[in-house]
Amino acid sequence: MNNFFDGRGGAAGGGGPIQWFHSLPPVTRLWLGSTLTVSALANFEILQWTDLDLTHLTDVFGKVGGGNSNISSSSLFGRLEVWRLLTCFLYIGKFGWNSIINLHLMTQISARYETMGPICTRRILVPQNPQLQRNNQNNSPYYLKGETSDYVFALLFGMTGILLSQFYLLPYILSPSSHTFHHHYRFFHRHLTFYTLYIWSKRYPQHNVNLFGVIMKAAYLPYAYLVMEYALSNGEVIPIDMVHGMFVGHLYYYLACVVPTVLGRSKVVIWTPGILIDVCRWLEGRRPYNDLGGGEPIVVDTDGVIGG
């Protein structure tokens, strides 16, 4: 089949923003397009933002009583609102300067991470070809180079971790009466952005970045944003969404990179499901994972990094 993720065909004859949009890597392009679409529909009141938020996981069974998360028998059996699990990550709020900054950061970081090569969590299956075994000398349960499916899996892991920790961990850590607890609890766009920023900074800690004219290593970038946000609030509000996203990002990095390194390739905690690999490769017009004897290392182009 044709490459579903290939944006070059749609850019023919186009220019400016359209050409730039189609030049983005596939997952980043889909993430940005979905965020703009959902946010625009809500800002123009085609959709109500109260139909997009998630105050508790029970909201997927339908809200009753003007936004309360109580469940009635009719909503439980007649109105599932599963889309909230996704739209709560896609709405950025009212269009304005803050939303532009958040979209810019999301796009830059996601494009960098995807283009430079995400952390690979495609598990090495029992090799049928002895040459594959000899080529893998890093004692890792994963292949060396990440691809689209690995990034999609990382985002799914982050979304799941953010929601579970938001509703089942943070209430035991933060006081429910505090302003910090209520500051970001309906939408999680920035949570996911800083989750991605954190795992990118851990994946490429020595990469040089320019933050408002200050050159620093990527390893320090999440903390620089954290300090800036805290300073802009005059030290009154802890940016819990940033901290939360970084926390889940650290959990992902620990399970994907630290555990296999310390315990060896026989200890695998998380891995990209084969069905997800096959779907992503099918959309890209590539051979399925199983047709490659467990998959071969994929070389990811590291040139032309956006915002390098």
Side-chain angles (χ1 to χ4, degrees):
M1 64 172 290
N2 294 329
N3 188 345
F4 178 82
F5 280 148
D6 188 4
R8 291 174 295 178
I18 301 299
Q19 187 176 12
W20 168 81
F21 178 78
H22 284 285
S23 71
L24 295 172
V27 178
T28 302
R29 187 166 66 245
L30 180 61
W31 187 3
L32 176 61
S34 301
T35 300
L36 287 174
T37 300
V38 171
S39 299
L41 291 174
N43 274 268
F44 292 120
E45 298 185 352
I46 299 174
L47 295 176
Q48 297 297 320
W49 68 266
T50 53
D51 292 328
L52 306 174
D53 67 338
L54 191 71
T55 57
H56 197 274
L57 291 180
T58 54
D59 288 347
V60 298
F61 297 114
K63 287 188 174 184
V64 294
N68 295 325
S69 58
N70 299 324
I71 301 177
S72 65
S73 58
S74 59
S75 65
L76 178 61
F77 295 104
R79 192 189 176 195
L80 290 177
E81 300 181 357
V82 184
W83 65 82
R84 292 180 183 272
L85 296 173
L86 181 62
T87 56
C88 67
F89 291 98
L90 299 178
Y91 179 63
I92 58 172
K94 292 292 184 181
F95 285 148
W97 180 249
N98 287 336
S99 60
I100 293 176
I101 294 298
N102 291 333
L103 278 175
H104 174 76
L105 177 62
M106 180 207 79
T107 305
Q108 290 288 304
I109 293 303
S110 178
R112 286 189 182 194
Y113 183 61
E114 188 174 358
T115 305
M116 296 174 70
I119 296 173
C120 181
T121 51
R122 285 174 294 113
R123 187 176 184 180
I124 297 178
L125 305 179
V126 178
Q128 302 297 325
N129 186 349
Q131 183 65 30
L132 292 176
Q133 177 68 36
R134 291 194 296 269
N135 290 341
N136 184 60
Q137 300 176 354
N138 63 341
N139 197 36
S140 171
Y142 308 120
Y143 289 97
L144 296 177
K145 298 293 183 179
E147 59 180 52
T148 300
S149 58
D150 298 308
Y151 187 26
V152 174
F153 174 72
L155 290 177
L156 293 175
F157 180 95
M159 293 165 67
T160 303
I162 288 170
L163 292 182
L164 290 179
S165 55
Q166 169 71 21
F167 300 124
Y168 298 110
L169 178 61
L170 291 188
Y172 297 97
I173 299 177
L174 302 176
S175 172
S177 60
S178 68
H179 176 70
T180 300
F181 182 79
H182 291 284
H183 193 59
H184 295 282
Y185 76 107
R186 292 180 179 270
F187 298 100
F188 307 95
H189 180 268
R190 285 220 310 177
H191 295 68
L192 193 60
T193 297
F194 277 87
Y195 164 83
T196 307
L197 171 61
Y198 186 85
I199 60 178
W200 171 76
S201 70
K202 298 293 286 186
R203 180 72 172 88
Y204 301 98
Q206 297 304 314
H207 184 77
N208 289 324
V209 296
N210 187 326
L211 181 63
F212 301 110
V214 179
I215 306 299
M216 66 179 67
K217 298 297 182 181
Y220 305 112
L221 187 60
Y223 306 101
Y225 275 113
L226 192 64
V227 172
M228 286 177 52
E229 185 73 12
Y230 185 69
L232 289 175
S233 68
N234 295 321
E236 297 178 358
V237 178
I238 299 176
I240 193 63
D241 52 350
M242 295 183 178
V243 177
H244 190 183
M246 291 165 61
F247 167 77
V248 179
H250 185 76
L251 176 63
Y252 171 81
Y253 178 80
Y254 182 83
L255 296 178
C257 299
V258 177
V259 170
T261 301
V262 175
L263 301 181
R265 62 182 304 172
S266 62
K267 303 298 182 181
V268 178
V269 181
I270 59 174
W271 63 88
T272 307
I275 183 63
L276 180 60
I277 301 173
D278 287 341
V279 169
C280 289
R281 289 189 172 187
W282 179 73
L283 292 173
E284 293 174 309
R286 299 168 54 200
R287 296 173 61 190
Y289 182 61
N290 292 333
D291 288 351
L292 298 169
E296 81 285 17
I298 304 300
V299 178
V300 179
D301 180 19
T302 58
D303 295 329
V305 176
I306 297 178

